[in-house]
Structures are given as C-alpha cells and as structure tokens.
Amino acid sequence: MQQSNDRKPVVSSAKISRRNLLAGAAAASIVLVQTASGKAFQAALTASELGSEDPTKVPGVPPGTLGTRSPFEKPTKTPSDTSSRTPLQDLHGMITPSDLHYERHHGGVPAIDPAKYELVIHGMVEKPMVFTLADLKRFPSVSRIAFLECSGNYRGSSDGKIRPQEICGLTSQSEWTGVALSTLFREVGVSPKATWFLAEGGDAAVMTRSVPAHKGWDDAIIAYAQNGEAIRPEQGYPVRLFLPGWEGNANVKWLRRIELADAPFMTREETSKYTEAVGGGKIRQFSFTMDARSIITYPAYPAKVEKGWIEIRGIAWSGRGKVTRVEVSTDAGKTWQHAALQQPVLDKAITTFRYLWNWDGTPTEIMSRTVDETGYVQPFLKQLLAARGGNMGYHFNPVTAWYLQRDGLVLFRGT
Amino acid sequence: MSWLKARSMQESTIKFISSALVVVAVSLTATGLKISRQHPRMLSADTLSQPAQFGFGRPATAAEIAILDIDVRPDGKGLPGGEGNVADGKAIFQQKCASCHGITGTEGPNDRLVVGDTTKGGARRIKAIGNYWPYATTVFDYIRRAMPFNQPGSLTDEEVYSLTAYLLNANGLLAENARLNAKTLPQIKMPARDRFVPDDRKDGPEIR
C-alpha cells in the first residue's frame, strides 16, 4: 500500500511559528512522519524512547488529516495464504475496527476503480439493469450493525496455547450501509417465480454463490460502506453483498453481477467447499445460518492472571436472531451463572458480556455458553460431534473452555 | 434527492389540479412513478412512501450481459460450443495445473482433484472430484472462471472441455476416447450426487 512507502521525516506541514515549537517536540523524541497521503503521525516511538519526558512540558503534535492508532498499540491480524484473523482477545466493545476485520478471499484482493464499477442484475427480471456506484448511492439507504463470520471458523489445540484469534478469529462486526437488495429487486422487476439468485464477484476467483431469493427480499444489503466510510478493499470495495446472520462466503465481495433464477447454480463453493458431512454418508448443503456461539476473550491465552477479582469478558452472537442469555461457568461446567449483557443487544449481532468473579487461585476451568431467541443453546464439542456422525468441518460452534493454572497462565481446553 | 423532488412535485400537482385526476394519472405512468401505496404487500413500514421504481441505472444490453454471464448450470445451461478430449486435457494439465495439484491430481500441494480407492482408511476425508463433487458441470464452470490460479480466465473453452474430460477420466467417470461437449457433459452422473442434502436445521433448540 502506498501509505507505507515514501515516508519522509519532516518537521511539520504547519506554519513557521508552529514549526519552531515542533522542532523542540521532535527533539523530545516525537518524530513526525509525512506519508505520501499527507498523513502525519507519531512513528517509531517506544516506551524507552519516551523515557521520563513529561508530555505536559512539550507541545503535542498538531491536528492531522487522518487519525492514528497509538504507537503503543499494535493489534494485528494473523494472515495465512487465504485468510486473516481478527485479534478478538485485544479488542473491546461490539465493533471491530475496519482494519482488523477478518479476511477470507479466494483469489486475492482486487483493485477496482469505483468510477468504472458496475453491478448488473439480470435473469428472471422484467428489466435487466446496470447500476453504477453513484446509482446505488442514490437509492434509499439502510444501515445495520451485524456480525460476519466464516463458516469454517473453529480451531482447537492439544497444548492449549491458542488464542481466541486462532480459535474463532474469522468473526468480526461492523456497521454496514448500502441499499436494500429488495429495493433493487423492485427496480428491475424480479419475477415472482425466481427462487434463487447467483451473486458473482469481480475478483480473480470470480467468486459465485447461489442465494435463496427470499433472503434478497428479506434483509440482504448491497453494501458500499463499513463503519462510516467506504468499504475497505479487503471487505469488497466498492460493493459487497451482505446477508445478516449467514455464512461469510455467501456475502460475495466485489459484487459485479446478480442473476435471478428458479434453481441454485451448484457452484464450486456451495458443492465441493462450504458443505459439511453430517453422518450416514450425507453431506449438508446450503447451510447458510450461523448457529449461536460465544467465547470468553478475557481471561484467555496468552493472558496470565492473579487470584482476586477478575472480570470475565467475552462476545456472543447468533445468526438466528438476538442473543437472549449468556451463561458462565467457573467450575468446569458444574454450575452456571448469568453474565451481564452489554446493551445494545441487536439482531444477528455480536453482544458483549461480562461476569465478575473472585478467583481463589485454585486451578479451574471457565467457559461460556449462549442462548438465542430461538431457544438454541450453544453446544459442547461432544454434542456437536454426536449430532454429526463424528464429523468436524464447517459450522462448528462449540463451547470453548479456558483452564486457569495455579501460576495464572490461561490455556485452551476443548469441550 | 431527485426522486423526492419529483414526488413532491407530483403531489403538488395532485393538490393544485385536483380536478384533473386523469391527467395526473397519465403523467405518473409516463414518468414511471407509480406510487407504491398501491403495492403495500411487498413493503416494510419505512418504505411505504417509496415509489415502486426510482428510474436509476440504465438498461443492460444483451451483449454486455453475454460477456459477464459465464455461469454453467447443472442442466448444462450456459455451456459454450466446442468440445474437448482426455488426451489434450492431460497435456494441458501437465503444463498448467500439475505444479499446484500434482502430476496425477492427487499429490498437491493444493486441492486434491483425483481420488483412487475410496474404501481405504482416511479416504473419508478426501474431497476430490470423483468422490465429493455432485455435478460435472461445476468442474467446467470453476476451471473456466478461476483457473489456473496465476492466470485465471486465460483458457479457451476447448481447453476447459479437455481439462474437464481429463479430470473426469482420471476419476474413472469418463471413457478414454470420449468427446466432451455441451451435450455430453451434463449427462454424467457424479457418484456423490445423492449424498447431498439441503440444510435440515430448523430455527430452534435442536443441535444438528
């Protein structure tokens, strides 16, 4: 990315009198960096460099064109060849910062010129249409806060040294803004006989998924904004499909085409990939809804805790609706207590929870389980395996336990 | 913005020329602004005042749809003309695919495409074309849209037919001398077809 190149240390872009002041600030180890995008920020600061300097005795940096993360804070995603995971254990609240939203793509992140972007809707419609980005933004807009989760979002560990980021870091939450797909369906005159639509991306994988038309009429969004600004390239810039509560893969990014039809298209992703063995030789297909899930994000590996008061914190979500309850156990599942839910509790959204606990220092297991408004109780790993003929795979949402050692180290435990 | 303006103008027209309802109706139809209160069935509360159509965007031409519309369905709809054969496909595979999928489609490092004996231990986890893919048409569709990984969309339709023929033959699903085309490809019944079941989870307490 351009922002990381061409960094030229400068004193300031502000006026001369200000510059003199800032020369002193620079001597006090605050280094201003001018990037190609004109962004000024504190760089290369370490605690030792700051030393005993008193920030009340030197002027701070002037206002900038872009905000920055404190140089002391370095949350990062963990990338693989095909995905990148959100550092759930480092975050607070219900919104994932956009640059920490998980990534999963099948042919890399494409560069798309918004001026050349077009969305074509055709197939079983009265009027096949082409919409530019500007066209899409003219339609009435909708916004909602909702989670997005890859359906292949479970990892375990035999030695327990695994963070929430690895266990289920393919979960993130944003406020998504765009035009309701139902508005576009009316605009093109979707046939009442159309029962499915194909969503196709403009990336190197030309990603395709078939989606039931009723989801388009219900709550699907053709999204162009995320957390108040244009969607990030990794999330589908300039336009993605957003299907609240449904598995991430069907939320096609870099959306270029929608084709209405009366049957699913049986694309590679919905046949050979995002399907799961459920026992008896059967393979479940089109399992869109994400089941209810929760995880304690503090204390969690690699945290180390001391005996005494600990606020157990975590996140819970369900693709079926609202989280109605989160229960926490501090005795390896023998007894359960209700956690406090932080408002707002939204439909198909991550809800944060907390439970205040006084740890006496005895080694124990802590865990959380959530219940959603359909009455679904998040299962243990054993229950899931039993329900699916011993198979693991997509849509795995087990209770996650953490073992607190005598020395305060927190380790993952399967359930 | 502009549709709001247009609508409020229409409403003023209705107010001031209340005696000329027929004219208003004609002008509404002419501008395509059907007031959507006539179709409340489709609308939620905050969209009651939306027109049925806004008139944004432009019609898509058949030619531009044809360029984008590359999907192939299980019944063969979308398959192009031309044909391919196993021998040509094998040659193309060695040249353009083997570095990722292995010399016989079984070695990797990326997705395994060919399956041998599925009765051996551990074979349950293999998801190759021969034992896991439910439709042969998907093989053509996916190769044409996304492969080879480093040069997606670079193969001719004949090359895609030939690669599909080779992979089906390697999985024991197509004769060595077969010719694969829009007519023959959809007729191949894949072994995994009947294993696939639609989502049977219901919104409720059951763990499935």
Side-chain angles (χ1 to χ4, degrees):
Chain A
M1 298 241 87
Q2 204 175 11
Q3 278 151 312
S4 60
N5 298 329
D6 196 25
R7 286 183 181 171
K8 296 178 198 142
V10 296
V11 175
S12 168
S13 56
K15 289 173 186 166
I16 289 174
S17 57
R18 192 78 179 133
R19 184 183 296 169
N20 292 338
L21 285 170
L22 286 160
S29 87
I30 291 174
V31 182
L32 286 181
V33 171
Q34 187 77 29
T35 67
S37 64
K39 172 178 159 186
F41 63 98
Q42 303 172 38
L45 261 184
T46 65
S48 62
E49 278 174 328
L50 265 185
S52 59
E53 293 295 338
D54 179 352
T56 68
K57 301 298 185 234
V58 289
V61 297
T65 54
L66 282 174
T68 62
R69 186 166 281 137
S70 164
F72 296 105
E73 300 295 327
K74 296 184 170 73
T76 50
K77 297 195 275 196
T78 42
S80 71
D81 286 348
T82 55
S83 70
S84 195
R85 311 173 82 87
T86 294
L88 298 172
Q89 68 284 349
D90 299 330
L91 302 181
H92 306 271
M94 69 191 296
I95 298 290
T96 310
S98 297
D99 60 356
L100 295 174
H101 194 291
Y102 86 84
E103 296 175 45
R104 174 73 180 95
H105 21 85
H106 298 72
V109 178
I112 297 173
D113 180 350
K116 292 179 185 157
Y117 172 80
E118 287 180 337
L119 172 63
V120 174
I121 304 182
H122 71 110
M124 294 175 67
V125 303
E126 281 170 35
K127 300 184 301 173
M129 296 288 291
V130 181
F131 302 103
T132 64
L133 182 58
D135 291 333
L136 294 176
K137 289 179 178 174
R138 287 176 76 188
F139 285 101
S141 59
V142 291
S143 284
R144 75 180 288 170
I145 293 170
F147 75 89
L148 190 66
E149 181 176 24
C150 177
S151 57
N153 190 28
Y154 175 72
R155 299 278 182 283
S157 157
S158 51
D159 70 0
K161 293 180 178 173
I162 183 173
R163 303 172 295 178
Q165 185 161 10
E166 282 77 39
I167 298 165
C168 62
L170 299 176
T171 300
S172 307
Q173 177 149 286
S174 298
E175 181 193 39
W176 300 97
T177 301
V179 50
L181 183 52
S182 59
T183 301
L184 299 181
F185 275 7
R186 281 193 293 275
E187 192 71 20
V188 300
V190 166
S191 162
K193 290 181 181 159
T195 49
W196 289 81
F197 67 89
L198 184 78
E200 182 179 84
D203 58 330
V206 202
M207 248 291 303
T208 42
R209 281 296 300 261
S210 304
V211 180
H214 70 77
K215 186 68 171 174
W217 288 112
D218 180 15
D219 61 0
I221 298 173
I222 301 299
Y224 45 73
Q226 175 187 12
N227 296 335
E229 61 176 342
I231 286 182
R232 300 226 165 191
E234 299 85 355
Q235 307 309 324
Y237 182 85
V239 171
R240 80 173 306 160
L241 177 63
F242 188 76
L243 306 172
W246 282 21
E247 65 180 10
N249 181 251
N251 294 250
V252 174
K253 300 189 288 262
W254 315 293
L255 186 68
R256 75 169 192 180
R257 185 168 73 95
I258 288 175
E259 179 173 4
L260 279 298
D262 57 6
F265 290 69
M266 301 297 177
T267 73
R268 180 250 200 182
E269 309 302 332
E270 64 210 18
T271 54
S272 77
K273 290 295 167 186
Y274 293 88
T275 52
E276 56 270 3
V278 289
K282 295 297 178 190
I283 301 164
R284 188 161 69 198
Q285 190 181 23
F286 301 122
S287 37
F288 293 109
T289 305
M290 298 306 295
D291 287 323
R293 189 170 186 181
S294 71
I295 186 169
I296 291 170
T297 54
Y298 182 85
Y301 181 81
K304 207 169 172 188
V305 292
E306 294 173 16
K307 69 178 181 180
W309 289 104
I310 293 173
E311 183 174 75
I312 295 172
R313 299 172 185 151
I315 53 175
W317 64 98
S318 171
R320 301 151 171 254
K322 287 181 186 174
V323 163
T324 51
R325 196 165 81 232
V326 176
E327 298 170 344
V328 168
S329 173
T330 57
D331 55 8
K334 290 187 200 76
T335 61
W336 296 85
Q337 290 79 36
H338 286 205
L341 301 186
Q342 175 63 54
Q343 297 295 323
V345 177
L346 301 175
D347 185 33
K348 299 166 188 166
I350 286 173
T351 298
T352 64
F353 67 85
R354 49 180 179 263
Y355 176 75
L356 196 57
W357 175 51
N358 197 347
W359 183 40
D360 64 7
T362 310
T364 188
E365 265 181 42
I366 62 171
M367 60 187 82
S368 66
R369 69 180 179 199
T370 188
V371 182
D372 70 20
E373 61 184 336
T374 70
Y376 180 91
V377 183
Q378 182 185 5
F380 293 100
L381 184 66
K382 293 183 205 73
Q383 290 174 279
L384 271 175
L385 285 169
R388 299 198 190 155
N391 295 288
M392 292 185 73
Y394 295 98
H395 291 276
F396 235 66
N397 58 322
V399 167
T400 298
W402 298 104
Y403 178 67
L404 273 62
Q405 289 189 158
R406 193 168 297 283
D407 64 1
L409 189 61
V410 184
L411 294 168
F412 165 86
R413 281 281 172 90
T415 60
Chain B
M1 169 83 183
S2 63
W3 74 266
L4 279 170
K5 257 188 198 162
R7 232 193 94 225
S8 90
M9 277 170 59
Q10 294 289 5
E11 282 171 359
S12 325
T13 312
I14 294 167
K15 273 181 199 159
F16 288 106
I17 318 177
S18 55
S19 60
L21 283 174
V22 176
V23 176
V24 173
V26 168
S27 94
L28 283 171
T29 310
T31 56
L33 273 172
K34 290 178 193 163
I35 303 300
S36 60
R37 280 191 196 87
Q38 295 160 6
H39 311 281
R41 210 161 40 89
M42 311 278 278
L43 303 172
S44 60
D46 69 344
T47 57
L48 281 176
S49 58
Q50 283 190 13
Q53 285 170 336
F54 291 87
F56 303 157
R58 64 174 175 81
T61 66
E64 66 189 337
I65 291 171
I67 290 169
L68 292 175
D69 187 2
I70 57 169
D71 55 75
V72 174
R73 307 187 199 190
D75 62 3
K77 191 177 176 194
L79 278 171
E83 63 178 22
N85 62 73
V86 175
D88 288 354
K90 186 172 185 178
I92 299 162
F93 187 87
Q94 302 312 329
Q95 191 194 343
K96 299 189 173 180
C97 316
S99 60
C100 287
H101 296 288
I103 201 79
T104 66
T106 59
E107 301 91 343
N110 291 336
D111 286 19
R112 179 170 178 161
L113 305 176
V114 176
V115 66
D117 187 352
T118 56
T119 60
K120 285 184 182 160
R124 195 178 64 151
R125 292 180 186 278
I126 295 173
K127 294 181 173 184
I129 291 169
N131 71 324
Y132 200 88
W133 290 47
Y135 297 96
T137 45
T138 310
V139 181
F140 184 99
D141 177 279
Y142 184 67
I143 294 173
R144 181 163 72 161
R145 73 174 55 245
M147 290 288 116
F149 189 82
N150 60 346
Q151 284 183 298
S154 63
L155 300 169
T156 65
D157 289 342
E158 283 75 15
E159 288 174 316
V160 178
Y161 271 125
S162 289
L163 278 170
T164 306
Y166 166 67
L167 290 170
L168 292 171
N169 172 261
N171 278 289
L173 301 170
L174 190 70
E176 188 83 32
N177 60 351
R179 304 167 89 83
L180 203 62
N181 54 43
K183 191 162 173 256
T184 57
L185 176 57
Q187 290 169 2
I188 296 166
K189 174 143 189 209
M190 302 293 275
R193 171 94 61 94
D194 297 332
R195 295 179 60 199
F196 281 78
V197 293
D199 190 6
D200 58 353
R201 295 172 300 162
K202 298 170 184 71
D203 278 356
E206 192 182 11
I207 307 296
R208 290 188 79 98

